[in-house]
Amino acid sequence: MSDIDAGRLVGKAAAPSRRIRFIRPEGQPAASLGSRILGRSWPPLLAVIITLLLWQVVYLSGWRPSYVLPDPATVLQRTGEMVASGKFWQALGTTMFRAAAGFGLALGIGTLIGLVVSFSRTLRAAIGSMITGLQTMPSIAWFPFAILLFGLSESAILFVVILGAAPSIANGIISGIDDVPKALIRTATVLGARGLSLYRYVVVPAALPAYLSGLKQGWAFAWRSLMAGELLVIIASKPSLGVQLQFHREFADTAGLMSVMIIILVLGMLIDGVLSRVSNGVRARRGMGPVS
Amino acid sequence: MRLGTAGTRSRTPAPDATTERSAISLRGVGKDFRSAAGESVALDSVDLDIDAGDFVCLLGQSGCGKSTLLNLIAGLDSPSRGSIDVGGRRVGMMFQDANLFPWLTVRGNIELALRLSGVPAREFGPRVDELLETVRLPRAASMRPHELSGGMRQRVALARTLAQDCSILLMDEPFAALDAITRDAMHDETERIWLERELTIVFVTHNVRESARLGNRVLVMAPDPGRIDSELRIGLQRPRRMEDPGVADRAAELHRRLSGRNEP
């Protein structure tokens, strides 16, 4: 009788990975790497092309003079020039260092708070809803307070970045732990898991997908807070992407301004993409399928 | 988890004559559940002794307290009244759903059970291989739960439960969600492992034939309030099969008892 299961075992093991979306007829050669990349990336590419086309149409309509709203070709050329300059990389370095430090600290603080709150019923009652409240608070509203507390300094920026990101991260882990299936807890209890070992081996790993979703959201908040901070808290000796935005606006250099905006957008998407990859990988290994 | 005022659940051997040979001993065990509608008696007063190495099926419709009784023996819940004694034996439990941990491979699932039982890590490798051999899934170690069929998942759940080296195995409708062919195969495996490992099994089911196929004793349970209504000793030779005439006879008798109760 076990042959039936064994047969399935072989069948399953040999079955194609679920990531392959289209079914290839027997005997045809596999799609080449190039065409597979093209197959996956044409929808976003098309979206970019359509955006550029619309932009071009608006430009050609003469709605705004060209020194206020330049055409895509000019802006993209400026972006290229900017990326080639050393000053840009210095600014990028400052911004990315702040992003890494702020998000890293938020990660540590948010995770710790999330774990402690989910562990203690009293703490949950005390600050559970406050964490959600903080999440809805626009981070820019914190800046006047942060500037009074820390002056126009790195600390003021980091403070707000952490306040922006940590609640999402804490909420991710709290809701993840809340949603661990009771059946898994019962099974683990029968297997002898108690207290800390139950947390370490079952509750925390089970909450991982929700935690990663929280990280993604936390990153989005951190990035927004950081850009707001760099516009408001300008430190003269430190060129940053935010300072460049301000600088280009003051000189009414829309092409330069839009170039920096494109860089900010692309950077945010890149990091989100990395987090999504990790998150989808974790989900796929559990048979949960990717979330888009 | 809070113990009921009168209810106790002891893992130490009690100086009681009956517990000498009983693996599981229940005295006046009752369980009440509180809900919005008020208090309801899930289980009335259950007295039960199960010998070491016996195979007992709890049969009954839903709501008669079968699962409640099993949870009490497992220690997942504490009784409102009475006492439960398992004589310090290790108790393993399986559910209708395999409840494998989806972030771990098959090997990881079994290793976790070993780890939680205090087995040193260097013994994990050979122990997992041996357990997978026992449940006849020798090549599945590196697979993930979602890649397995329902029957394979229950085999892994069985291996994981056996990893605890339990002598009492509680099974709560473990094969109810499987197709008939896979279920028959799992019956054979359960019977074989029960004999090889000299386990004491308490098996909850609402399937009359399954209880006659597997059990030495079938305890017929009744609802309102949940209680053990009657007992049938199967007394058929093993190995048995679902379609054996003897099994069919006993199943018919159990059917009569289950439905007879509803007539005046």
Side-chain angles (χ1 to χ4, degrees):
Chain A
M1 281 300 175
S2 65
D3 291 359
I4 293 162
D5 277 353
R8 277 196 203 171
L9 175 66
V10 173
K12 288 265 178 177
S17 147
R18 53 166 57 209
R19 277 185 208 160
I20 295 172
R21 293 254 177 93
F22 38 82
I23 296 161
R24 185 157 40 85
E26 210 73 42
Q28 278 194 8
S32 73
L33 184 68
S35 66
R36 254 192 301 167
I37 289 173
L38 196 70
R40 212 176 296 174
S41 59
W42 72 262
L45 261 179
L46 188 66
V48 169
I49 290 169
I50 289 174
T51 310
L52 291 177
L53 276 177
L54 284 175
W55 179 359
Q56 184 73 36
V57 167
V58 173
Y59 170 77
L60 289 175
S61 75
W63 174 61
R64 283 285 183 272
S66 66
Y67 62 88
V68 176
L69 180 68
D71 70 314
T74 312
V75 172
L76 290 178
Q77 198 194 337
R78 269 302 287 280
T79 311
E81 286 166 18
M82 204 174 72
V83 170
S85 73
K87 206 174 147 203
F88 163 77
W89 290 101
Q90 206 190 337
L92 184 70
T94 309
T95 298
M96 291 320 284
F97 176 79
R98 286 171 180 165
F103 187 61
L105 284 169
L107 190 71
I109 294 168
T111 306
L112 193 71
I113 290 176
L115 277 175
V116 170
V117 167
S118 68
F119 202 73
S120 150
R121 203 165 290 217
T122 321
L123 263 177
R124 158 77 59 95
I127 61 171
S129 55
M130 199 168 85
I131 292 174
T132 313
L134 278 179
Q135 212 179 345
T136 60
M137 175 117 170
S139 55
I140 200 156
W142 281 104
F143 271 109
F145 179 60
I147 291 168
L148 286 182
L149 272 186
F150 298 104
L152 291 174
S153 68
E154 293 288 336
S155 306
I157 297 176
L158 281 184
F159 176 73
V160 178
V161 170
I162 291 166
L163 272 170
S168 295
I169 296 169
N171 250 350
I173 199 161
I174 292 170
S175 67
I177 286 176
D178 281 351
D179 292 344
V180 176
K182 294 290 167 281
L184 286 189
I185 304 282
R186 278 157 54 88
T187 305
T189 309
V190 181
L191 289 173
R194 297 282 186 283
L196 266 184
S197 69
L198 183 66
Y199 250 69
R200 180 173 161 203
Y201 294 119
V202 179
V203 174
V204 169
L208 187 62
Y211 176 60
L212 290 174
S213 301
L215 284 195
K216 268 181 64 169
Q217 204 187 21
W219 163 251
F221 280 120
W223 193 231
R224 289 180 200 193
S225 310
L226 179 59
M227 286 307 126
E230 288 190 341
L231 281 173
L232 285 175
V233 183
I234 288 175
I235 301 164
S237 59
K238 288 260 177 123
S240 65
L241 292 184
V243 169
Q244 293 213 330
L245 278 182
Q246 191 76 358
F247 174 81
H248 289 304
R249 188 188 68 83
E250 278 163 8
F251 286 85
D253 175 6
T254 321
L257 182 77
M258 291 180 83
S259 297
V260 179
M261 285 175 66
I262 289 172
I263 300 285
I264 291 170
L265 178 69
V266 169
L267 279 174
M269 281 169 61
L270 273 180
I271 304 219
D272 180 75
V274 170
L275 290 173
S276 293
R277 259 193 98 88
V278 173
S279 171
N280 288 343
V282 164
R283 286 171 160 271
R285 275 198 293 284
R286 299 174 182 211
M288 290 163 80
V291 280
S292 46
Chain B
M1 234 184 339
R2 194 154 37 96
L3 280 172
T5 43
T8 59
R9 183 175 177 281
S10 155
R11 279 180 176 271
T12 50
D16 189 319
T18 50
T19 55
E20 299 268 307
R21 41 188 274 275
S22 296
I24 305 167
S25 167
L26 284 79
R27 290 284 166 270
V29 170
K31 179 71 185 170
D32 306 329
F33 283 121
R34 230 169 266 143
S35 68
E39 199 147 295
S40 65
V41 181
L43 212 56
D44 201 12
S45 176
V46 174
D47 290 299
L48 176 63
D49 284 294
I50 295 173
D51 293 343
D54 210 349
F55 199 135
V56 176
C57 289
L58 300 176
L59 176 69
Q61 64 200 70
S62 40
C64 65
K66 319 185 285 287
S67 296
T68 305
L69 188 54
L70 214 59
N71 286 342
L72 290 175
I73 299 173
L76 281 173
D77 214 342
S78 37
S80 308
R81 295 172 291 283
S83 66
I84 300 169
D85 186 5
V86 294
R89 291 172 179 82
R90 278 207 183 197
V91 181
M93 188 166 182
M94 276 178 72
F95 304 90
Q96 180 173 339
D97 194 295
N99 293 336
L100 299 180
F101 303 121
W103 57 91
L104 296 172
T105 60
V106 167
R107 178 176 296 280
N109 268 277
I110 299 171
E111 277 182 1
L112 181 53
L114 291 170
R115 188 188 303 277
L116 292 170
S117 307
V119 175
R122 62 177 182 281
E123 290 176 24
F124 285 178
R127 287 285 295 274
V128 171
D129 293 338
E130 179 208 316
L131 284 160
L132 285 175
E133 202 73 51
T134 302
V135 298
R136 304 200 183 181
L137 274 181
R139 282 171 299 168
S142 59
M143 294 179 82
R144 302 236 162 219
H146 70 95
E147 298 171 313
L148 305 173
S149 67
M152 289 163 79
R153 271 184 223 152
Q154 282 299 19
R155 283 172 194 265
V156 177
L158 181 56
R160 188 176 63 176
T161 307
L162 295 175
Q164 301 174 82
D165 241 342
C166 51
S167 60
I168 297 175
L169 179 55
L170 309 175
M171 304 176 89
D172 192 357
E173 308 201 22
F175 311 137
L178 301 181
D179 63 85
I181 298 169
T182 311
R183 192 193 53 210
D184 285 354
M186 291 308 292
H187 287 160
D188 295 344
E189 302 292 4
T190 308
E191 191 170 53
R192 176 178 61 79
I193 290 166
W194 167 64
L195 288 168
E196 278 176 13
R197 300 207 162 213
E198 297 174 344
L199 298 169
T200 308
I201 295 186
V202 184
F203 191 105
V204 162
T205 180
H206 58 246
N207 183 328
V208 175
R209 212 175 240 266
E210 183 173 56
S211 69
R213 153 77 183 81
L214 286 173
N216 286 345
R217 299 164 69 188
V218 177
L219 305 175
V220 181
M221 296 190 68
D224 301 316
R227 64 192 186 279
I228 296 173
D229 195 53
S230 67
E231 173 174 348
L232 183 70
R233 291 206 169 256
I234 298 298
L236 294 171
Q237 276 197 317
R238 291 182 193 270
R240 300 174 193 157
R241 302 203 55 78
M242 271 304 229
E243 49 296 342
D244 287 345
V247 170
D249 277 354
R250 302 301 190 280
E253 167 60 21
L254 289 167
H255 245 303
R256 263 193 298 280
R257 293 191 188 192
L258 275 174
S259 52
R261 218 185 37 251
N262 297 331
E263 287 157 19

